[in-house]
Amino acid sequence: MTAGDYAFVADLLRDRGGIALEPGKEYLVESRLTSLVRRHGFASLDEFLNRLRQAGTTGLADDVVEAMVTTETSFFRDVHPFETLRTTVIPELIRARRSEKRLDIWCAAASSGQEPYTVAILLREYFPEVSKWAITIRATDISEDMLRRCRAGKYSQIEVNRGLPVALLMKYFRQEGAFWLIRDDLKAMIDFQQLNLVGVWPPMPAFDLVFLRNVMIYFAVETKKPILRKVGQVLRPDGYLLLGGAETTFNLDDSYRRVESLKSGFYQKIGA
């Protein structure tokens, strides 16, 4: 891959996916694009990139963005944020919404679905009082391949071993050969939709809780700011934004404050 090819791909990823590609990632880019070269039947990477440079290659460009997106995830990832949800945040939201009997939750960049399914398990297991409430979990991702995995709710033994307690595995999944399938009633709690965070957003409800964990670390500053602004527009005044441990709103959007008492990356709008 030439320096010009790398710069072209970096510009495409920034413009279409908000991804900031650092110098020195040539091998990573080339290895991930090679699978697309084979999938689309091109003779070489050069031929693929030449076609990508031509007009009318929107679908191909989307495939490049999907190929470069990091899909790392697991059930109950990092443990502590979900413990804080269980002990503090969800009970507080339930008290605040008791008259409405409704909760709206958004998992952005849902990858293969472990995060939204973890939220569904958390609500089913620990908060039976909301079983009759209107619970909506919207899970979005840029990748249609990942969304197909999400909707299938089908995980390998290695995937369920990562973070999922055995008792919850046996209660909320059924085994099918070498895989585990999540219960249909939990699937029904989640609305999976394709969404590019740096693109145009569809109409959104007002959310009580937004997960944006380990997403913005891949974005440039000029991409992070409008995303945080738009999240603020769909976050209820007393709702919570949950970021990853290495992420912050500091110097990006001064309308948020970190909830220091929670210690797990929770933010609220100032004045909440």
Side-chain angles (χ1 to χ4, degrees), residues 55-252:
T57 59
T58 299
L60 210 58
D62 289 343
D63 285 349
V64 171
V65 174
E66 287 194 22
M68 293 305 302
V69 169
T70 301
T71 58
E72 171 67 18
T73 188
S74 62
F75 291 100
F76 292 92
R77 186 177 183 180
D78 301 327
V79 180
H80 296 296
F82 290 98
E83 187 63 15
T84 299
L85 283 167
R86 184 183 69 83
T87 60
T88 307
V89 172
I90 293 179
E92 180 181 311
L93 289 172
I94 288 173
R95 286 192 294 271
R97 307 292 184 262
R98 198 171 299 280
S99 62
E100 302 173 35
K101 291 184 166 48
R102 180 181 183 89
L103 285 175
D104 288 282
I105 299 167
W106 178 21
C107 295
S111 186
S112 46
Q114 285 91 325
E115 181 178 86
Y117 283 131
T118 297
V119 175
I121 290 170
L122 200 67
L123 291 170
R124 278 281 191 267
E125 182 71 10
Y126 299 106
F127 302 98
E129 64 267 39
V130 302
S131 61
K132 302 298 184 182
W133 284 30
I135 305 290
T136 300
I137 303 172
R138 177 175 294 196
T140 64
D141 199 88
I142 192 174
S143 170
E144 288 289 358
D145 286 342
M146 285 294 104
L147 290 170
R148 280 190 285 272
R149 288 210 58 205
C150 289
R151 295 184 184 107
K154 184 177 182 179
Y155 298 97
S156 68
Q157 189 68 56
I158 292 174
E159 288 172 318
V160 297
N161 283 348
R162 294 188 64 204
L164 187 63
V166 173
L168 297 182
L169 171 64
M170 301 307 295
K171 186 172 182 179
Y172 293 104
F173 292 75
R174 62 179 174 84
Q175 193 166 13
E176 186 177 273
F179 294 90
W180 292 86
L181 274 66
I182 199 158
R183 276 180 10 191
D184 288 343
D185 62 308
L186 270 70
K187 281 188 189 181
M189 294 175 65
I190 305 172
D191 177 23
F192 291 107
Q193 297 182 15
Q194 196 276 338
L195 176 65
N196 184 344
L197 288 170
V198 304
V200 176
W201 293 10
M204 297 273 204
F207 291 107
D208 304 292
L209 179 60
V210 174
F211 289 77
L212 195 64
R213 302 185 66 209
N214 307 302
V215 179
M216 293 195 300
I217 53 176
Y218 303 105
F219 292 159
V221 169
E222 61 267 24
T223 302
K224 297 176 184 181
K225 289 181 177 180
I227 290 175
L228 286 171
R229 175 179 54 78
K230 290 198 287 187
V231 168
Q233 292 170 351
V234 298
L235 187 66
R236 293 187 68 165
D238 59 345
Y240 288 89
L241 167 64
L242 177 55
L243 300 180
E247 297 168 316
T248 181
T249 63
F250 184 68
N251 284 338
L252 295 171

